[in-house]
PDB file of all heavy atoms in Angstrom:
ATOM      1  N   VAL A  43     -22.251 102.103 -33.523  1.00 95.00           N
ATOM      2  CA  VAL A  43     -21.357 103.093 -34.138  1.00 95.00           C
ATOM      3  C   VAL A  43     -20.873 102.623 -35.505  1.00 95.00           C
ATOM      4  O   VAL A  43     -20.886 103.388 -36.470  1.00 95.00           O
ATOM      5  CB  VAL A  43     -20.151 103.397 -33.210  1.00 95.00           C
ATOM      6  CG1 VAL A  43     -19.080 104.192 -33.939  1.00 95.00           C
ATOM      7  CG2 VAL A  43     -20.618 104.146 -31.971  1.00 95.00           C
ATOM      8  N   ASP A  44     -20.451 101.347 -35.602  1.00 92.00           N
ATOM      9  CA  ASP A  44     -19.942 100.910 -36.910  1.00 92.00           C
ATOM     10  C   ASP A  44     -21.047 100.882 -37.961  1.00 92.00           C
ATOM     11  O   ASP A  44     -20.826 101.231 -39.116  1.00 92.00           O
ATOM     12  CB  ASP A  44     -19.159  99.590 -36.828  1.00 92.00           C
ATOM     13  CG  ASP A  44     -19.995  98.367 -36.532  1.00 92.00           C
ATOM     14  OD1 ASP A  44     -21.212  98.393 -36.716  1.00 92.00           O
ATOM     15  OD2 ASP A  44     -19.400  97.353 -36.115  1.00 92.00           O
ATOM     16  N   GLY A  45     -22.277 100.514 -37.547  1.00 90.00           N
ATOM     17  CA  GLY A  45     -23.387 100.558 -38.487  1.00 90.00           C
ATOM     18  C   GLY A  45     -23.709 101.973 -38.944  1.00 90.00           C
ATOM     19  O   GLY A  45     -23.952 102.226 -40.123  1.00 90.00           O
ATOM     20  N   PHE A  46     -23.687 102.910 -37.994  1.00 92.00           N
ATOM     21  CA  PHE A  46     -23.949 104.317 -38.316  1.00 92.00           C
ATOM     22  C   PHE A  46     -22.908 104.855 -39.291  1.00 92.00           C
ATOM     23  O   PHE A  46     -23.244 105.490 -40.294  1.00 92.00           O
ATOM     24  CB  PHE A  46     -23.957 105.149 -37.031  1.00 92.00           C
ATOM     25  CG  PHE A  46     -24.053 106.629 -37.275  1.00 92.00           C
ATOM     26  CD1 PHE A  46     -25.281 107.210 -37.554  1.00 92.00           C
ATOM     27  CD2 PHE A  46     -22.920 107.426 -37.244  1.00 92.00           C
ATOM     28  CE1 PHE A  46     -25.377 108.578 -37.793  1.00 92.00           C
ATOM     29  CE2 PHE A  46     -23.004 108.792 -37.482  1.00 92.00           C
ATOM     30  CZ  PHE A  46     -24.236 109.373 -37.761  1.00 92.00           C
ATOM     31  N   LEU A  47     -21.631 104.610 -38.999  1.00 93.00           N
ATOM     32  CA  LEU A  47     -20.555 105.091 -39.876  1.00 93.00           C
ATOM     33  C   LEU A  47     -20.662 104.485 -41.268  1.00 93.00           C
ATOM     34  O   LEU A  47     -20.479 105.184 -42.277  1.00 93.00           O
ATOM     35  CB  LEU A  47     -19.183 104.764 -39.274  1.00 93.00           C
ATOM     36  CG  LEU A  47     -18.793 105.528 -38.010  1.00 93.00           C
ATOM     37  CD1 LEU A  47     -17.473 104.998 -37.456  1.00 93.00           C
ATOM     38  CD2 LEU A  47     -18.693 107.028 -38.287  1.00 93.00           C
ATOM     39  N   ALA A  48     -20.956 103.189 -41.327  1.00 91.00           N
ATOM     40  CA  ALA A  48     -21.049 102.514 -42.625  1.00 91.00           C
ATOM     41  C   ALA A  48     -22.164 103.113 -43.481  1.00 91.00           C
ATOM     42  O   ALA A  48     -21.982 103.338 -44.680  1.00 91.00           O
ATOM     43  CB  ALA A  48     -21.272 101.021 -42.424  1.00 91.00           C
ATOM     44  N   ARG A  49     -23.317 103.405 -42.841  1.00 91.00           N
ATOM     45  CA  ARG A  49     -24.449 103.940 -43.599  1.00 91.00           C
ATOM     46  C   ARG A  49     -24.286 105.422 -43.917  1.00 91.00           C
ATOM     47  O   ARG A  49     -24.483 105.843 -45.052  1.00 91.00           O
ATOM     48  CB  ARG A  49     -25.748 103.732 -42.819  1.00 91.00           C
ATOM     49  CG  ARG A  49     -26.258 102.306 -42.812  1.00 91.00           C
ATOM     50  CD  ARG A  49     -27.628 102.202 -42.166  1.00 91.00           C
ATOM     51  NE  ARG A  49     -27.646 102.722 -40.803  1.00 91.00           N
ATOM     52  CZ  ARG A  49     -27.313 102.024 -39.726  1.00 91.00           C
ATOM     53  NH1 ARG A  49     -26.911 100.779 -39.847  1.00 91.00           N
ATOM     54  NH2 ARG A  49     -27.360 102.564 -38.525  1.00 91.00           N
ATOM     55  N   GLN A  50     -23.936 106.214 -42.912  1.00 92.00           N
ATOM     56  CA  GLN A  50     -23.924 107.671 -43.083  1.00 92.00           C
ATOM     57  C   GLN A  50     -22.756 108.181 -43.920  1.00 92.00           C
ATOM     58  O   GLN A  50     -22.865 109.205 -44.573  1.00 92.00           O
ATOM     59  CB  GLN A  50     -23.910 108.362 -41.712  1.00 92.00           C
ATOM     60  CG  GLN A  50     -25.165 108.138 -40.906  1.00 92.00           C
ATOM     61  CD  GLN A  50     -26.401 108.663 -41.614  1.00 92.00           C
ATOM     62  OE1 GLN A  50     -26.422 109.757 -42.151  1.00 92.00           O
ATOM     63  NE2 GLN A  50     -27.464 107.863 -41.611  1.00 92.00           N
ATOM     64  N   PHE A  51     -21.635 107.472 -43.869  1.00 92.00           N
ATOM     65  CA  PHE A  51     -20.450 107.940 -44.587  1.00 92.00           C
ATOM     66  C   PHE A  51     -20.050 106.995 -45.714  1.00 92.00           C
ATOM     67  O   PHE A  51     -18.916 107.011 -46.175  1.00 92.00           O
ATOM     68  CB  PHE A  51     -19.286 108.138 -43.600  1.00 92.00           C
ATOM     69  CG  PHE A  51     -19.577 109.185 -42.569  1.00 92.00           C
ATOM     70  CD1 PHE A  51     -20.011 108.831 -41.296  1.00 92.00           C
ATOM     71  CD2 PHE A  51     -19.463 110.542 -42.876  1.00 92.00           C
ATOM     72  CE1 PHE A  51     -20.301 109.795 -40.344  1.00 92.00           C
ATOM     73  CE2 PHE A  51     -19.757 111.511 -41.939  1.00 92.00           C
ATOM     74  CZ  PHE A  51     -20.177 111.136 -40.662  1.00 92.00           C
ATOM     75  N   ASN A  52     -21.023 106.187 -46.154  1.00 91.00           N
ATOM     76  CA  ASN A  52     -20.824 105.276 -47.271  1.00 91.00           C
ATOM     77  C   ASN A  52     -19.535 104.454 -47.114  1.00 91.00           C
ATOM     78  O   ASN A  52     -18.707 104.395 -48.028  1.00 91.00           O
ATOM     79  CB  ASN A  52     -20.821 106.054 -48.600  1.00 91.00           C
ATOM     80  CG  ASN A  52     -21.047 105.129 -49.774  1.00 91.00           C
ATOM     81  OD1 ASN A  52     -21.615 104.049 -49.624  1.00 91.00           O
ATOM     82  ND2 ASN A  52     -20.594 105.539 -50.938  1.00 91.00           N
ATOM     83  N   MET A  53     -19.362 103.867 -45.931  1.00 91.00           N
ATOM     84  CA  MET A  53     -18.179 103.040 -45.668  1.00 91.00           C
ATOM     85  C   MET A  53     -18.526 101.556 -45.686  1.00 91.00           C
ATOM     86  O   MET A  53     -17.825 100.748 -45.106  1.00 91.00           O
ATOM     87  CB  MET A  53     -17.573 103.406 -44.308  1.00 91.00           C
ATOM     88  CG  MET A  53     -16.988 104.775 -44.230  1.00 91.00           C
ATOM     89  SD  MET A  53     -16.229 105.006 -42.597  1.00 91.00           S
ATOM     90  CE  MET A  53     -15.629 106.677 -42.752  1.00 91.00           C
ATOM     91  N   ARG A  54     -19.612 101.212 -46.370  1.00 90.00           N
ATOM     92  CA  ARG A  54     -19.971  99.802 -46.456  1.00 90.00           C
ATOM     93  C   ARG A  54     -18.964  99.057 -47.313  1.00 90.00           C
ATOM     94  O   ARG A  54     -18.421  99.609 -48.262  1.00 90.00           O
ATOM     95  CB  ARG A  54     -21.371  99.640 -47.040  1.00 90.00           C
ATOM     96  CG  ARG A  54     -22.448 100.175 -46.124  1.00 90.00           C
ATOM     97  CD  ARG A  54     -23.833  99.896 -46.648  1.00 90.00           C
ATOM     98  NE  ARG A  54     -24.001 100.445 -47.992  1.00 90.00           N
ATOM     99  CZ  ARG A  54     -24.936 100.054 -48.836  1.00 90.00           C
ATOM    100  NH1 ARG A  54     -25.773  99.099 -48.497  1.00 90.00           N
ATOM    101  NH2 ARG A  54     -25.040 100.601 -50.022  1.00 90.00           N
ATOM    102  N   SER A  55     -18.748  97.790 -46.953  1.00 89.00           N
ATOM    103  CA  SER A  55     -17.834  96.963 -47.729  1.00 89.00           C
ATOM    104  C   SER A  55     -18.283  95.519 -47.652  1.00 89.00           C
ATOM    105  O   SER A  55     -19.056  95.141 -46.767  1.00 89.00           O
ATOM    106  CB  SER A  55     -16.404  97.093 -47.187  1.00 89.00           C
ATOM    107  OG  SER A  55     -16.307  96.517 -45.901  1.00 89.00           O
ATOM    108  N   VAL A  56     -17.790  94.715 -48.573  1.00 87.00           N
ATOM    109  CA  VAL A  56     -18.121  93.294 -48.572  1.00 87.00           C
ATOM    110  C   VAL A  56     -17.604  92.657 -47.288  1.00 87.00           C
ATOM    111  O   VAL A  56     -18.303  91.875 -46.635  1.00 87.00           O
ATOM    112  CB  VAL A  56     -17.519  92.593 -49.805  1.00 87.00           C
ATOM    113  CG1 VAL A  56     -17.741  91.088 -49.729  1.00 87.00           C
ATOM    114  CG2 VAL A  56     -18.123  93.161 -51.079  1.00 87.00           C
ATOM    115  N   VAL A  57     -16.384  93.020 -46.888  1.00 89.00           N
ATOM    116  CA  VAL A  57     -15.799  92.476 -45.652  1.00 89.00           C
ATOM    117  C   VAL A  57     -16.681  92.845 -44.455  1.00 89.00           C
ATOM    118  O   VAL A  57     -16.991  92.007 -43.610  1.00 89.00           O
ATOM    119  CB  VAL A  57     -14.359  92.995 -45.452  1.00 89.00           C
ATOM    120  CG1 VAL A  57     -13.817  92.591 -44.093  1.00 89.00           C
ATOM    121  CG2 VAL A  57     -13.450  92.482 -46.556  1.00 89.00           C
ATOM    122  N   GLY A  58     -17.086  94.098 -44.398  1.00 87.00           N
ATOM    123  CA  GLY A  58     -17.912  94.559 -43.289  1.00 87.00           C
ATOM    124  C   GLY A  58     -19.268  93.886 -43.237  1.00 87.00           C
ATOM    125  O   GLY A  58     -19.810  93.647 -42.156  1.00 87.00           O
ATOM    126  N   ALA A  59     -19.820  93.552 -44.411  1.00 85.00           N
ATOM    127  CA  ALA A  59     -21.119  92.882 -44.459  1.00 85.00           C
ATOM    128  C   ALA A  59     -21.070  91.522 -43.777  1.00 85.00           C
ATOM    129  O   ALA A  59     -22.087  91.015 -43.309  1.00 85.00           O
ATOM    130  CB  ALA A  59     -21.570  92.736 -45.910  1.00 85.00           C
ATOM    131  N   TYR A  60     -19.886  90.930 -43.705  1.00 84.00           N
ATOM    132  CA  TYR A  60     -19.726  89.641 -43.024  1.00 84.00           C
ATOM    133  C   TYR A  60     -19.135  89.799 -41.625  1.00 84.00           C
ATOM    134  O   TYR A  60     -19.498  89.066 -40.704  1.00 84.00           O
ATOM    135  CB  TYR A  60     -18.843  88.703 -43.860  1.00 84.00           C
ATOM    136  CG  TYR A  60     -19.540  88.222 -45.104  1.00 84.00           C
ATOM    137  CD1 TYR A  60     -19.389  88.882 -46.320  1.00 84.00           C
ATOM    138  CD2 TYR A  60     -20.399  87.129 -45.057  1.00 84.00           C
ATOM    139  CE1 TYR A  60     -20.049  88.454 -47.452  1.00 84.00           C
ATOM    140  CE2 TYR A  60     -21.071  86.693 -46.188  1.00 84.00           C
ATOM    141  CZ  TYR A  60     -20.882  87.364 -47.394  1.00 84.00           C
ATOM    142  OH  TYR A  60     -21.553  86.943 -48.513  1.00 84.00           O
ATOM    143  N   LEU A  61     -18.220  90.759 -41.467  1.00 91.00           N
ATOM    144  CA  LEU A  61     -17.556  90.946 -40.170  1.00 91.00           C
ATOM    145  C   LEU A  61     -18.523  91.379 -39.081  1.00 91.00           C
ATOM    146  O   LEU A  61     -18.463  90.873 -37.953  1.00 91.00           O
ATOM    147  CB  LEU A  61     -16.460  92.015 -40.294  1.00 91.00           C
ATOM    148  CG  LEU A  61     -15.021  91.576 -40.416  1.00 91.00           C
ATOM    149  CD1 LEU A  61     -14.101  92.798 -40.465  1.00 91.00           C
ATOM    150  CD2 LEU A  61     -14.608  90.636 -39.316  1.00 91.00           C
ATOM    151  N   ASP A  62     -19.385  92.327 -39.392  1.00 90.00           N
ATOM    152  CA  ASP A  62     -20.291  92.883 -38.384  1.00 90.00           C
ATOM    153  C   ASP A  62     -21.198  91.814 -37.776  1.00 90.00           C
ATOM    154  O   ASP A  62     -21.207  91.628 -36.562  1.00 90.00           O
ATOM    155  CB  ASP A  62     -21.100  94.037 -38.986  1.00 90.00           C
ATOM    156  CG  ASP A  62     -22.059  94.647 -37.980  1.00 90.00           C
ATOM    157  OD1 ASP A  62     -21.595  95.110 -36.919  1.00 90.00           O
ATOM    158  OD2 ASP A  62     -23.276  94.653 -38.246  1.00 90.00           O
ATOM    159  N   PRO A  63     -21.965  91.067 -38.591  1.00 89.00           N
ATOM    160  CA  PRO A  63     -22.809  90.038 -37.979  1.00 89.00           C
ATOM    161  C   PRO A  63     -21.999  88.894 -37.365  1.00 89.00           C
ATOM    162  O   PRO A  63     -22.440  88.272 -36.395  1.00 89.00           O
ATOM    163  CB  PRO A  63     -23.682  89.546 -39.138  1.00 89.00           C
ATOM    164  CG  PRO A  63     -23.005  89.996 -40.365  1.00 89.00           C
ATOM    165  CD  PRO A  63     -22.217  91.205 -40.024  1.00 89.00           C
ATOM    166  N   LEU A  64     -20.802  88.628 -37.912  1.00 92.00           N
ATOM    167  CA  LEU A  64     -19.947  87.595 -37.330  1.00 92.00           C
ATOM    168  C   LEU A  64     -19.534  87.966 -35.911  1.00 92.00           C
ATOM    169  O   LEU A  64     -19.579  87.138 -34.989  1.00 92.00           O
ATOM    170  CB  LEU A  64     -18.707  87.371 -38.200  1.00 92.00           C
ATOM    171  CG  LEU A  64     -17.686  86.365 -37.671  1.00 92.00           C
ATOM    172  CD1 LEU A  64     -18.290  84.971 -37.606  1.00 92.00           C
ATOM    173  CD2 LEU A  64     -16.433  86.377 -38.534  1.00 92.00           C
TER     174      LEU A  64
END
Side-chain angles (χ1 to χ4, degrees):
V43 168
D44 70 19
F46 173 80
L47 291 174
R49 286 187 303 275
Q50 294 300 315
F51 298 99
N52 198 23
M53 293 183 180
R54 293 185 304 160
S55 68
V56 174
V57 172
Y60 289 94
L61 259 182
D62 180 58
L64 177 64

